[in-house]
Every structure is written in C-alpha cells, then in structure tokens.
Amino acid sequence: MAPLIDTFGRIHDNLRVSVTDRCNIRCFYCMPETGVKFEAREKLLTFEEIERFVRVAVSLGVRKLRLTGGEPLLRRDLAKLIRKLVAIDGIEDLALTTNGVLMAQQAQELYDAGLRRINVHLDTLDRERFKQITRRDDLAKVLDGIDTCLRLGYGPIKINAVAVKNLVEPDIVPLALYGRERGIEIRYIEFMPLDSQGLWDKGKVLLADDMIAMLTREIGPLREVPDRDPRAPATDYEYLDGKGKVGFVASISRPFCLNCNRIRLTSDGKFRYCLFAIDETDMRQLLRGGASDQAIASAIRGSVHDKWLGHEINTQRFVPPPRPMYSIGG
Ligand code: SF4
C-alpha cells in the first residue's frame, strides 16, 4: 500500500486522536473560564469507531499514535481503548498527552493496559501561577501523578510547558531543574494562536532562543542533539554536563511544517491534515453511514494529498482555525 504522501512529498505516519473535548482545568490560553460548550456525548466517536479508523490508518502506513483531549483521562474506561489500540499490528508507538490532574488515580490501570509514554502538560511549579493559568488549584495532584508514573515505570515521561511571555519566565529554570532531577525531558512550547478567545499575539510568545539563553545562563551550556528525527516537532538539546535534555517546539520562530508527518482525528470524528487546518473531513459520517474501509482509506488519502504546505502564522494570510485547541487535541 502506497504511503500517505502529500504533494510536497511528506509521508504521514503519526496520528493524533482526540478522545474528548472536555477538560477539568481552564487554561486561559485555551478556553474561557465559563460558558464552554462541549460536544454532545453521542457525537463523540465510540471506542469501536476509533479502533476501526486507526486500523484503516495503519493500513495506510500510520505507525505512531498519540491520544489527546481536551483531557483524555476524562473519557470513561480509557484503559479499554488503550488495550484495543496496543493490540493493533503495526502500531509501533502509543503515547498520551494529559494535564496530569487525574493521573495518580488512573496510572496503574493505564499502565496495565499497555501505556508507557506520556506527556504531561505543566507550565509552572508555582502554585499561585498554576491557579492563574489554569483557574484550578490542582498543582499538587499533577505532581503526584508524575511521581506515580515514575514509580510505576512509565517512560519516557515528558513535560509540555506552554511558554507565554511576561508570565512564565520565572518558571523556565525551575522546570528544567525539576526535569534534570527526575530524568524528565521538559518541552517548552512557543505559544500558538489556538485559543478560543483570540488572545494570541506575537508579543506574547516567549521564543525558543530566549529560553535557551536563560537555561544556558542559569544552568549551563546546551548543545543541539545531533541526528534527531527531522519530522519531530521538538528541537532537542542536551546539557553538556550530561544531565538530561530539553526540547523546544518552536512553531512560531522555527516553523517545522516542511517535515510534518502528523494528521489528526477530533473527538467528534473530523479528520484534520494540520493543527491549523481550516477544512476538515467528516469521518464520523462515513463510520456511521455504512462506508467501507476502502472508502475511509480514500477519504484519508484524499485529505492528506490536499494538505497545505503549513501554517501561515508569520504571514498576513494567517486565519485562525475554526476550532480552538481543546476541540482539536495537541
Ligand atoms: S502547523 Fe500543520 S503542517 Fe505545520 S507542523 Fe503543525 S500540523 Fe504540520
């Protein structure tokens, strides 16, 4: 079967599946504090529909899978889905992105289901700033969740930290030290225009170069990890003293669309060839409308074929996607 290739020659083998748009925190750069309208439950894909879609995607060359949300641990019986997905021949890597608030309670069950790789979204180790960013007082639960995963043997564990300028500068170094002490890679993510309230502007983006300068000054010299997978969104750096790595997802200052291998399925069954895509393909209709696997496969292939070169955030042409982050998934 020919790989999933677009007109720019990029091969797509990395599928991100959002299992819910619901979340138990309210990060200000993602959603409003109140009045968020979530998808009706019957509109969310069932585990069987997700499994079927993933099987078709695997037949087209998908090898890496990431489960996202909203907050995926809010989806009941998530371990059941993970068991189904790890059993699919061809899946080489299954990871999950979580805000960690429910991780301490669910870590054992998800581990028993076969989950090993997690990214925890955490921007700060400061309780007050955590409350300011998320509008929830759950930092202790997140840290407990991480410790539980370390104890159980999850790995690699990474922390995704969204770097909003004039807010998280005091957190960059403490997070890095936290990661060095625990063998956890900290991924600093440049703030992207994916919020539902239009808060984003370039002036609020703490740039990768600024964070590298901070870490070098406060902790020590870093060097870019050689021979990294060019398709990986993060540029990885290692400390010259050998104590750990940090990564930078620099979508604004160093866009990486030219090597993009990622495609997405939203929790309500829309297929997106790009995080910032304006158009999407309705897979739920196909999955529930009696379509064959071949029809679903050609819908995926067609969408990928028509994929654009990349986001246009740094141009006048940029149009924010019609969906905010929590209803797309990381
Ligand atoms: S913005 Fe779109 S094309 Fe660019 S790396 Fe992200 S998903 Fe890929």
Side-chain angles (χ1 to χ4, degrees), residues 58-75:
V58 168
S59 75
L60 298 173
V62 163
R63 293 291 170 267
K64 299 179 80 154
L65 209 50
R66 178 174 292 277
L67 300 180
T68 67
E71 170 48 40
L73 272 59
L74 284 175
R75 183 84 191 243

Side-chain angles (χ1 to χ4, degrees), residues 10 192 233 251 255-264 273-277 307-311 313:
R10 297 172 295 192
M192 291 181 274
S251 311
F256 38 84
C257 303
L258 293 179
N259 294 309
C260 182
N261 65 336
R262 290 167 297 284
I263 46 181
R264 290 174 165 83
Y273 57 57
C274 169
L275 182 57
F276 292 93
K307 176 167 177 166
W308 61 12
L309 184 56
H311 72 65
I313 297 169

Side-chain angles (χ1 to χ4, degrees), residues 91-111:
I91 293 289
E92 294 164 3
D93 179 40
L94 173 71
L96 176 133
T97 302
T98 171
N99 63 30
V101 172
L102 298 172
M103 203 55 186
Q105 299 147 34
Q106 298 188 27
Q108 183 70 65
E109 194 191 355
L110 299 175
Y111 189 90

Side-chain angles (χ1 to χ4, degrees), residues 37-307:
K37 295 229 170 342
F38 294 118
E39 208 51 77
R41 290 196 191 286
E42 64 277 7
K43 292 262 176 73
L44 298 187
L45 294 186
T46 65
F47 289 170
E48 290 67 29
E49 289 167 337
I50 293 172
E51 182 193 6
R52 181 178 171 211
F53 182 87
V54 171
R55 283 187 185 285
V56 173
V58 168
S59 75
L60 298 173
V62 163
R63 293 291 170 267
K64 299 179 80 154
L65 209 50
R66 178 174 292 277
L67 300 180
T68 67
E71 170 48 40
L73 272 59
L74 284 175
R75 183 84 191 243
R76 202 173 301 144
D77 297 332
L78 186 64
K80 200 173 137 201
L81 175 64
I82 288 174
R83 268 201 184 83
K84 285 175 183 290
L85 298 177
V86 290
I88 298 176
D89 253 352
I91 293 289
E92 294 164 3
D93 179 40
L94 173 71
L96 176 133
T97 302
T98 171
N99 63 30
V101 172
L102 298 172
M103 203 55 186
Q105 299 147 34
Q106 298 188 27
Q108 183 70 65
E109 194 191 355
L110 299 175
Y111 189 90
D112 296 344
L115 183 67
R116 296 291 180 274
R117 210 154 80 76
I118 59 167
N119 288 43
V120 179
H121 169 212
L122 179 63
D123 302 340
T124 176
L125 297 172
D126 178 273
R127 184 178 175 187
E128 289 314 311
R129 206 154 26 259
F130 184 94
K131 282 198 283 186
Q132 183 189 355
I133 293 171
T134 67
R135 293 114 160 197
R136 297 288 184 276
D137 189 10
D138 290 329
L139 176 60
K141 290 180 187 163
V142 177
L143 298 177
D144 184 24
I146 294 171
D147 288 342
T148 305
C149 290
L150 284 167
R151 235 186 358 265
L152 286 172
Y154 278 80
I157 299 176
K158 299 181 181 177
I159 286 180
N160 290 355
V162 176
V164 179
K165 196 171 183 174
N166 301 326
L167 178 64
V168 300
E169 281 86 342
D171 302 302
I172 303 301
V173 171
L175 274 171
L177 295 172
Y178 175 90
R180 277 162 61 93
E181 284 151 22
R182 289 165 182 76
I184 292 175
E185 181 184 333
I186 310 297
R187 294 256 184 101
Y188 300 98
I189 301 176
E190 289 184 346
F191 180 28
M192 291 181 274
L194 287 164
D195 61 293
S196 56
Q197 306 118 88
L199 295 174
W200 186 89
D201 71 62
K202 224 169 187 174
K204 294 192 179 103
V205 179
L206 185 55
L207 301 175
D209 287 345
D210 299 335
M211 292 184 269
I212 292 166
M214 256 183 233
L215 294 174
T216 304
R217 199 173 49 244
E218 306 289 331
I219 299 180
L222 288 162
R223 77 167 155 234
E224 194 172 330
V225 172
D227 315 322
R228 73 178 185 94
D229 178 352
R231 303 168 315 156
T235 306
D236 291 335
Y237 285 74
E238 56 196 3
Y239 296 98
L240 290 193
D241 67 4
K243 283 196 196 147
K245 289 197 304 187
V246 285
F248 299 89
V249 180
S251 311
I252 313 298
S253 64
R254 305 178 192 176
F256 38 84
C257 303
L258 293 179
N259 294 309
C260 182
N261 65 336
R262 290 167 297 284
I263 46 181
R264 290 174 165 83
L265 182 69
T266 66
S267 57
D268 61 332
K270 302 298 184 326
F271 182 75
R272 301 174 57 80
Y273 57 57
C274 169
L275 182 57
F276 292 93
I278 305 299
D279 314 319
E280 42 192 39
T281 306
D282 188 345
M283 293 298 172
R284 188 183 67 218
Q285 193 187 336
L286 294 175
L287 288 161
R288 293 183 183 178
S292 66
D293 287 357
Q294 286 70 27
I296 294 167
S298 70
I300 296 172
R301 202 180 278 291
S303 172
V304 169
H305 179 268
D306 300 342
K307 176 167 177 166

